[in-house]
Amino acid sequence: MAELATIARPYAEALFKASSSDLDGAAVWVEELKAIAQDAQLQQFCENPNASVAQVFDVIAGVARVALPEMAKNFLRTVIENGRMGALPEIAEQFRVLKNAQSGSADAVVYSAFAIDSAALADLALTLEKRFARKLNVSVELQPELIGGIRVVVGDEVLDSSVKARLEQMKMALTA
């Protein structure tokens, strides 16, 4: 995937510079375009040599759930014209990293065996921000195989307090 990251970097940096006055607004439509670009049927359509740039643009703009500002439309046309629709999810990720770096925050993914209510998530977010010493954008993903507890991933740091991890530690201790 290093090649995809290399392709996506100039697009993400240019988008970041161009949208510096409204990074939050740009983040909304970039995430929407990322979600659309990850659709398998759309990827097939984009790769079809008989589909024109205008047709691909119209399909994507038509399924977008948010209104695309002119900057988003121009960005999307550029990506399509250059045949980089496959890189759009990576462009969105790199844009998010640049945005987070500017604001001094990071993305945190909390993997949980069970759903977490909003009050508990708010408390958890405060605790995690103290633990990782930065502002966190917390999202939750369910992973029933954890059995209980949570696993938190912030960048390349992992905090694993799941039952599954503890069982693995016990297994290692008993077999050693």
Side-chain angles (χ1 to χ4, degrees), residues 78-157:
T78 302
V79 170
I80 295 168
E81 287 170 357
N82 293 329
R84 301 296 189 207
M85 278 303 296
L88 195 52
E90 180 64 23
I91 294 169
E93 288 302 315
Q94 290 190 22
F95 177 81
R96 186 174 184 90
V97 167
L98 291 169
K99 180 181 173 291
N100 286 345
Q102 185 193 39
S103 67
S105 64
D107 292 331
V109 181
V110 176
Y111 298 96
S112 174
F114 303 100
I116 301 173
D117 67 24
S118 58
L121 185 59
D123 290 342
L124 177 62
L126 287 173
T127 304
L128 291 174
E129 287 177 356
K130 289 177 187 171
R131 164 69 171 81
F132 289 100
R134 58 183 165 245
K135 174 86 174 97
L136 297 176
N137 305 317
V138 179
S139 63
V140 178
E141 291 187 26
L142 294 181
Q143 281 190 341
E145 63 270 15
L146 294 179
I147 304 168
I150 61 170
R151 181 173 173 258
V152 182
V153 178
V154 179
D156 60 353
E157 297 178 75

Side-chain angles (χ1 to χ4, degrees), residues 3 12 17 26 42 62 73-74 78 84 118 122 143 157 171 175:
E3 183 178 318
K17 288 177 185 172
L42 179 73
K73 292 176 182 177
N74 292 337
T78 302
R84 301 296 189 207
S118 58
Q143 281 190 341
E157 297 178 75
K171 177 182 172 184
T175 59

Side-chain angles (χ1 to χ4, degrees), residues 14-27 29 71 95 99 102:
L15 180 59
F16 180 76
K17 288 177 185 172
S19 62
S20 61
S21 62
D22 184 24
L23 287 175
D24 293 330
W29 58 259
M71 178 187 288
F95 177 81
K99 180 181 173 291
Q102 185 193 39

Side-chain angles (χ1 to χ4, degrees), residues 7-73:
I7 291 169
R9 186 173 302 111
Y11 290 93
E13 289 174 351
L15 180 59
F16 180 76
K17 288 177 185 172
S19 62
S20 61
S21 62
D22 184 24
L23 287 175
D24 293 330
V28 170
W29 58 259
V30 167
E31 287 299 317
E32 176 69 15
L33 292 178
K34 172 187 170 184
I36 293 170
Q38 290 174 327
D39 182 72
Q41 290 178 333
L42 179 73
Q43 289 173 3
Q44 271 186 325
F45 180 69
C46 291
E47 293 170 4
N48 184 344
N50 295 327
S52 70
V53 170
Q55 289 172 324
V56 173
F57 175 82
D58 289 342
V59 167
I60 294 171
V63 298
R65 290 178 286 164
V66 297
L68 297 176
E70 199 58 38
M71 178 187 288
K73 292 176 182 177

